Amino acid sequence: MENVKIKVEIEAEGLEELKNLSQKLTEQAAEIADTIHKINSIQLELKLNQ
């Protein structure tokens, strides 16, 4: 089975706003992941120091 690439362009009201919201969501998800990593690191440090 070979891969097939399809490019679809859609013009719809609110599409640009949806793209912006999607970008913001992606950025927030990255920030959340970073925060979780920092929290996990802190917990690891606390365990090591005990």
Side-chain angles (χ1 to χ4, degrees):
M1 180 178 214
E2 66 183 72
N3 293 333
V4 178
K5 291 184 181 181
I6 301 174
K7 182 177 179 180
V8 179
E9 291 186 29
I10 300 172
E11 286 189 34
E13 248 181 73
L15 186 59
E16 194 61 38
E17 183 180 357
L18 185 60
K19 286 181 185 178
N20 292 339
L21 290 173
S22 177
Q23 179 62 36
K24 287 180 184 178
L25 218 90
T26 301
E27 291 168 3
Q28 289 175 345
E31 289 176 14
I32 290 169
D34 186 49
T35 301
I36 290 170
H37 177 72
K38 287 177 182 176
I39 289 170
N40 288 338
S41 295
I42 291 170
Q43 289 175 349
L44 179 62
E45 287 177 21
L46 288 175
K47 286 180 182 177
L48 292 174
N49 289 332
Q50 289 180 349

